[in-house]
């Protein structure tokens, strides 16, 4: 294979991965949606090799689940998964603040772009434009992550934030967005960073993650309530049909969690 062919294939691989990631984040590929390498290759009119590589890249990022026989599917994140994401991000950020002078280097020339991302993210959230919100929110945090001196930490935080959006997007599509479920602190955070106010930056970050965990609490409570209601309905149906005879017990069915409003990941 010639060098130019390798560059072309790698570029195509990245383009396909980016396109599919955008489809997942937009909610057009919903959780549980299954597809094969062949289907994606035919959709984009390309060979199977870069598609397979792109799908494995997205699987490594935690966005897809793969099965040898069934192909790939968009990963379904649970409330417990989301809580773990928020807790992991909070712990990592808390670690950065233990000695920020050695772990974080703010570049003033980068703040103008981050301010624009912050303003656009807040504007999109208040205007209910989910596609714009996700794009600017991810860019905002990615550019802030460039101030973290350890690139592995920055990549880890970005990956978790993308996964959190995958968890949230279909809920937002269904139930809409409002100030009760979205975080609007982008601009306050970036201004605290610009002032060099470490105490306020820390407070904003703590508020951000507390907001995420509080939303997880509400989701869990809502799911528990929905499960209890479904069990009560099933019990009433069973009583209406009369008692079951020996050996005719019906196995319990797992309650399906209701859809819940989303959260700015």
């Amino acid at each position: 294979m010639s060098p130019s062919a390798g560059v072309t294939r790698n570029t195509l691989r990245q383009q396909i991965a980016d396109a599919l990631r955008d489809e997942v984040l937009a909610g057009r590929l919903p959780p549980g949606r299954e597809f094969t390498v062949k289907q994606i290759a035919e959709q984009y009119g390309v060979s199977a090799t870069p598609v397979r590589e792109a799908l494995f890249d997205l699987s490594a990022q935690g966005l897809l689940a793969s099965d040898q026989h069934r192909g790939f599917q968009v990963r379904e994140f649970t409330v417990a998964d989301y809580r773990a994401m928020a807790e992991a991000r909070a712990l990592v950020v808390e670690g950065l603040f233990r000695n920020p002078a050695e772990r974080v280097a703010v570049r003033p020339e980068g703040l103008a772009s981050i301010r624009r991302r912050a303003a656009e993210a807040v504007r999109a959230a208040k205007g209910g434009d989910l596609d714009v919100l996700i794009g600017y929110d991810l860019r905002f945090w990615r550019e802030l992550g460039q101030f973290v001196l350890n690139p592995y930490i920055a990549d880890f935080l970005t990956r978790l934030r993308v996964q959190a959006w995958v968890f949230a997007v279909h809920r937002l599509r269904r139930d809409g967005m409002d100030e009760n479920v979205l975080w609007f602190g982008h601009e306050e955070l970036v201004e605290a960073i610009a002032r060099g106010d470490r105490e306020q930056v820390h407070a904003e970050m703590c508020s951000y993650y507390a907001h995420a965990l509080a939303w997880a609490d509400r989701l869990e409570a809502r799911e528990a309530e929905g499960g209890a209601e479904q069990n009560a309905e099933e019990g009433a149906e069973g009583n209406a049909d009369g008692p079951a005879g020996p050996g005719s017990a019906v196995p319990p069915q797992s309650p399906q969690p209701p859809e819940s409003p989303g959260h700015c990941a």
Side-chain angles (χ1 to χ4, degrees):
M1 181 177 64
S2 67
S4 60
V7 171
T8 300
R9 196 184 81 182
N10 288 336
T11 302
L12 188 57
R13 167 185 182 171
Q14 187 61 53
Q15 289 175 340
I16 294 169
D18 290 345
L20 289 173
R21 186 185 301 107
D22 289 345
E23 292 292 298
V24 173
L25 285 170
R28 290 186 287 270
L29 284 177
R33 171 71 176 275
E34 297 181 354
F35 47 83
T36 64
V37 171
K38 181 180 178 181
Q39 290 171 332
I40 299 300
E42 290 177 349
Q43 176 181 336
Y44 288 101
V46 297
S47 66
T49 299
V51 170
R52 184 178 296 106
E53 293 170 341
L55 293 177
F56 279 122
D57 287 345
L58 294 179
S59 296
Q61 295 169 25
L63 301 186
L64 302 180
S66 62
D67 184 274
Q68 183 177 357
H69 304 290
R70 300 172 61 183
F72 296 82
Q73 67 176 183
V74 179
R75 184 172 174 183
E76 297 188 68
F77 291 106
T78 66
V79 176
D81 290 328
Y82 178 77
R83 176 184 291 281
M85 294 173 201
E87 289 176 344
R89 286 154 51 191
L91 287 171
V92 171
V93 171
E94 184 68 28
L96 292 174
F97 275 95
R98 289 175 188 164
N99 196 344
E102 296 181 1
R103 297 185 173 95
V104 179
V106 176
R107 295 186 293 276
E109 66 274 12
L111 289 174
S113 175
I114 295 174
R115 280 191 175 99
R116 289 195 297 272
R117 309 297 190 199
E120 291 296 339
V122 173
R123 187 176 298 113
K126 292 181 177 179
D129 192 332
L130 184 57
D131 290 331
V132 174
L133 169 59
I134 294 173
Y136 277 109
D137 180 78
L138 288 174
R139 292 186 188 100
F140 171 81
W141 291 106
R142 188 179 297 116
E143 290 186 19
L144 276 184
Q146 293 176 2
F147 295 162
V148 178
L149 296 177
N150 187 323
Y152 293 97
I153 292 177
D155 288 345
F156 174 74
L157 292 173
T158 296
R159 180 173 301 187
L160 286 183
R161 190 158 289 108
V162 172
Q163 291 177 359
W165 269 118
V166 173
F167 168 82
V169 65
H170 68 284
R171 290 170 168 81
L172 290 165
R173 290 288 184 200
R174 173 170 176 166
D175 299 313
M177 304 181 295
D178 60 43
E179 64 276 6
N180 294 319
V181 296
L182 296 176
W183 183 75
F184 296 102
H186 300 74
E187 292 174 301
E188 288 79 3
L189 175 59
V190 72
E191 291 310 319
I193 292 172
R195 294 194 304 271
D197 188 342
R198 293 178 180 174
E199 185 173 329
Q200 187 60 36
V201 171
H202 188 223
E204 294 291 344
M205 293 302 301
C206 288
S207 173
Y208 173 73
Y209 290 118
H211 188 92
L213 292 173
W215 183 58
D217 289 340
R218 293 195 297 274
L219 286 177
E220 288 175 340
R222 182 170 175 179
E223 288 190 357
E225 181 181 349
E229 290 176 354
Q230 181 168 335
N231 287 337
E233 291 174 359
E234 292 173 354
E237 291 174 359
N239 291 334
D241 293 337
S248 62
V250 178
Q253 298 188 12
S254 301
Q256 296 298 315
E259 294 294 333
S260 305
H263 171 72
C264 188

